[in-house]
Amino acid sequence: MRELELHLDLLKTPAGSADGELEVVAGDGAGDGFSVELGANRVTLRGDNPRGCLNAAYWLLEQLGFCWVAPGPDGIRFVPGKQLAEGSYREEPRFRRRTLILGNDALHDDWPEWFEWASRNRLNDIFFHDTPPSRLDRGQSPRPSSAADLAADRSGWMLERWDADSAAIRAAASVAGMSIQFGGHHLPALLSRELFATNPEWFPMRDGVRDARYNLCVSSEGGVAHLRIRAQAFFERFAGAAVYHLWADDIRGGGWCECPDCAGMSPSDQALFATNVLADVLAESAPGARIAHLAYHDTLLPPTNVRPRENVSLLFAPRERCYAHAINDASCERNVPQYWAPFEGLLPLFANDPARIDVFEYYSDAILFKWLAPPLLSVQPLDAEAYQSAGAGNLQNLMVTPRRWLGPPWHTWWMARCAWGSAAGVDAALGEFCGAAYPGHSREMADYYREQERAYRLILDLHDLKPTPRRDVLDFSDQPAETLRTKVGELSEAAALFEDLYERILGFGGGELAGEAEQAELVWHVVAHLAGRTAAWELLLRGDNSKSGARHIAAASVHLGWLDEWERSANSPAYANLSRGMLSGMRSFTRALA
């Protein structure tokens, strides 16, 4: 097998490698578990299917000491000294499908490296998803090359990437036994807003008036007919995916129709109705493929009047949940009542069929986490256990970021381990990862991640703060006011902890920790900005216009200035359509407070 040969070649000495026999046996099952039999001079890899054989090969390489901590050749690490006893070994995955979501242009540009990394870490599904959404009817306009022009364009370029690379992507998926998902918030693009001038009845009614913004009127026969035609073209242009995503506008509240014919339909009903229309088209265009019903924002609650087609699967996306607690942690004031309970209510709608129950998680979402990269040491394995127990068949991790990752992305590597269901706990996993990623500072970096976990929990614990429309999670809420006051104290403590962590990692020295040191500095500036801004806001809400508020704003502005300079001097232009908009929003909020 190519992967075994490639890695074992890295270990060869001039004297050559040891003699022995290798047998590879592939079954035709649906799952990709495997068995490995190790004898004195013989190794047998038995995969439940061909992908299972590949998983067995990667498992064997891991036992020899290989670890893939980042994409690309530099991310292949070998830790010598491991031993594996002769005998029989068996592993099966916790989830049948395990997905890495590539969520923005810079990640799509590097898809071959991420694809290879995902396969080696025993993920078996890649989802091409774009933030911000690409334009469906861009024509032949070339992609800008400068950061300023990309930021001004304010849209993604994933569709053009697929046009150029789809044959290579499909070929890579076939070789690796991986499936492909494709799409995002593209439903509105199927109904051009320019059509409002001639067909206003196709568009939603709000407050008694037709409105060109957001989604469509699902009761409009003409609008639905147009949707079918455009969906057919979409599936033909982007052929080759196993699962498609044509989601509604990415807003909370106010996105759906209130006309007399739609008024009795909840947002969830309207969203599923539109998805069923697309599903009927997909059944003709690509039999066997599925399309996702996105349970997200105001479509989290189960539909009451519409049932999904057979080729529609659930995509549960609890974006505003609390990441300081597991998704089913009863002690959390947000997760169980607002997210876990609706999730359990959705399962019967999809016949409790694991093949139709997918979870879209945000463990590597640096937009949600405001440029940060929390390790989520305890939450990820607890989430995996919860979702598995509930009957989910696919755990997905959104990787989307306004900045390049600095140092190996632990959060993504850890998700792959949790989705597979390795018996090793977090301490063993930290030891394995840090031993491979930072061989000169393994123990110190494991402790460093544990200290990060403590500091991040202060930021991520949302307590009983109520979500605020049109504001993101870590912008927090001013209700209840007492909880916001608590959050101010937690953010201040977190900023101090991250400053200490930055100074600690500098003390370890450069070399292999250069990326982590740069990331530690960036994280400290982000958290310090957030802490100062939130403290000033809380004082204003209390009517306190003292000089302390001005000092908080001044400090927050200094840290934001550092982020601006880093983004322009050290970030890659491909991130600009996310990074510059986010920084602009941070500046706007800070100036408004000032």
Side-chain angles (χ1 to χ4, degrees):
M1 297 173 66
R2 185 184 69 87
E3 285 287 82
L4 282 174
E5 292 174 354
L6 183 152
H7 287 82
L8 293 178
D9 278 346
L10 299 175
L11 305 183
K12 282 184 178 178
T13 65
S17 57
D19 293 331
E21 295 183 10
L22 172 66
E23 181 184 18
V24 180
V25 181
D28 58 0
D32 59 353
F34 60 85
S35 301
V36 176
E37 297 173 13
L38 294 178
N41 295 296
R42 183 180 181 84
V43 177
T44 302
L45 309 181
R46 298 183 184 276
D48 295 351
N49 63 14
R51 173 68 221 186
C53 290
L54 201 50
N55 291 335
Y58 293 137
W59 177 89
L60 182 61
L61 290 169
E62 288 172 344
Q63 310 316 306
L64 293 173
F66 281 99
C67 186
W68 304 278
V69 300
D74 291 342
I76 302 174
R77 304 296 172 85
F78 178 74
V79 180
K82 289 192 174 184
Q83 294 183 340
L84 183 63
E86 295 179 14
S88 298
Y89 300 85
R90 172 72 189 173
E91 287 201 11
E92 295 182 13
R94 170 178 275 150
F95 296 95
R96 180 170 290 184
R97 307 309 302 171
R98 306 167 302 281
T99 304
L100 177 65
I101 306 168
L102 301 178
N104 57 289
D105 289 335
L107 302 175
H108 302 146
D109 292 345
D110 296 332
W111 73 262
E113 291 82 5
W114 281 111
F115 205 110
E116 193 172 57
W117 177 91
S119 179
R120 288 170 175 168
N121 283 288
R122 286 186 264 168
L123 300 175
N124 60 3
D125 187 73
I126 292 285
F127 180 174
F128 286 83
H129 162 48
D130 58 343
T131 306
S134 302
R135 295 182 193 168
L136 190 56
D137 298 311
R138 183 177 265 129
Q140 300 301 312
S141 300
R143 175 174 163 179
S145 58
S146 73
D149 289 343
L150 282 166
D153 185 74
R154 302 183 69 177
S155 58
W157 293 81
M158 182 186 75
L159 305 186
E160 288 76 12
R161 171 63 62 196
W162 184 267
D163 288 340
D165 291 0
S166 61
I169 292 169
R170 291 194 297 267
S174 177
V175 169
M178 300 177 75
S179 53
I180 299 170
Q181 302 188 52
F182 186 86
H185 291 282
H186 298 301
L187 174 66
L190 299 182
L191 190 66
S192 171
R193 304 298 109 172
E194 295 177 357
L195 294 170
F196 183 78
T198 54
N199 302 97
E201 73 280 4
W202 294 2
F203 294 82
M205 178 177 287
R206 300 185 182 94
D207 298 323
V209 178
R210 293 288 176 178
D211 187 342
R213 297 172 302 164
Y214 314 133
N215 303 322
L216 77 157
C217 172
V218 297
S219 299
S220 165
E221 292 184 4
V224 169
H226 186 81
L227 190 67
R228 289 193 180 98
I229 294 170
R230 295 278 282 171
Q232 178 78 31
F234 185 95
F235 297 137
E236 289 175 359
R237 176 179 172 186
F238 306 115
V243 182
Y244 286 92
H245 302 266
L246 284 163
W247 307 331
D249 272 302
D250 191 7
I251 61 172
R252 278 184 284 170
W256 291 99
C257 186
E258 301 170 352
C259 77
D261 290 329
C262 291
M265 301 173 69
S266 69
S268 297
D269 284 317
Q270 293 189 45
L272 183 54
F273 183 95
T275 302
N276 280 343
V277 170
L278 303 173
D280 291 340
V281 176
L282 182 62
E284 297 178 0
S285 300
R290 293 186 288 119
I291 191 164
H293 165 68
L294 180 64
Y296 172 76
H297 289 340
D298 54 354
T299 63
L300 267 174
L301 295 176
T304 56
N305 298 316
V306 181
R307 313 299 293 181
R309 298 286 195 267
E310 289 297 318
N311 61 339
V312 174
S313 57
L314 169 66
L315 188 65
F316 174 70
R319 189 176 189 276
E320 288 80 27
R321 59 166 284 193
C322 174
Y323 281 94
H325 301 90
I327 187 67
N328 66 341
D329 187 340
S331 71
C332 181
E333 296 170 274
R334 176 176 296 215
N335 285 352
V336 169
Q338 297 180 35
Y339 294 95
W340 188 249
F343 175 62
E344 291 185 311
L346 283 159
L347 302 181
L349 190 68
F350 294 86
N352 293 291
D353 180 359
R356 300 178 67 193
I357 299 170
D358 300 348
V359 174
F360 186 104
E361 269 293 357
Y362 295 83
Y363 305 128
S364 300
D365 183 350
I367 297 177
L368 173 66
F369 295 131
K370 295 289 188 188
W371 294 60
L372 305 176
L376 303 173
L377 301 182
S378 60
V379 162
Q380 288 207 48
L382 291 173
D383 277 0
E385 291 175 10
Y387 287 130
Q388 178 194 25
S389 297
N394 176 232
L395 181 60
Q396 309 186 19
N397 178 29
L398 174 63
M399 185 172 61
V400 59
T401 174
R403 63 175 178 90
R404 56 190 177 88
W405 297 128
L406 302 168
W410 153 270
H411 41 87
T412 306
W413 184 92
W414 184 220
M415 178 272 169
R417 287 296 181 275
C418 294
W420 179 264
S422 173
V426 66
D427 289 337
L430 271 177
E432 179 185 353
F433 181 85
C434 293
Y438 322 105
H441 299 85
S442 176
R443 184 174 300 176
E444 296 97 327
M445 287 303 295
D447 290 340
Y448 176 81
Y449 276 106
R450 293 186 187 96
E451 288 299 308
Q452 280 195 86
E453 176 89 340
R454 185 166 72 91
Y456 270 116
R457 187 179 178 88
L458 292 166
I459 301 169
L460 300 178
D461 195 337
L462 300 176
H463 305 293
D464 61 342
L465 287 171
K466 295 178 172 57
T468 303
R470 304 296 194 269
R471 187 169 289 165
D472 214 342
V473 178
L474 295 188
D475 290 323
F476 303 110
S477 161
D478 59 355
Q479 296 296 325
E482 298 80 9
T483 307
L484 180 60
R485 197 165 302 135
T486 297
K487 188 85 275 172
V488 167
E490 290 176 337
L491 290 173
S492 177
E493 183 180 352
L497 287 171
F498 277 113
E499 183 177 12
D500 289 344
L501 286 169
Y502 170 50
E503 293 174 354
R504 180 190 301 187
I505 203 168
L506 287 180
F508 294 159
E512 68 184 17
L513 298 182
E516 287 293 351
E518 186 178 4
Q519 178 153 278
E521 185 176 17
L522 182 145
V523 166
W524 167 50
H525 283 290
V526 171
V527 176
H529 164 77
L530 191 60
R533 190 183 77 185
T534 307
W537 182 43
E538 195 275 331
L539 286 171
L540 282 174
L541 291 172
R542 282 195 279 142
D544 184 339
N545 293 315
S546 64
K547 291 182 179 179
S548 60
R551 287 195 295 270
H552 284 306
I553 285 293
S557 298
V558 168
H559 292 291
L560 184 54
W562 185 95
L563 290 169
D564 271 326
E565 175 57 29
W566 182 90
E567 195 279 333
R568 281 164 172 75
S569 63
N571 209 17
S572 302
Y575 295 98
N577 57 3
L578 292 176
S579 60
R580 301 212 169 170
M582 290 184 69
L583 287 171
S584 176
M586 294 161 76
R587 281 194 298 272
S588 177
F589 193 2
T590 306
R591 288 170 180 166
L593 290 173

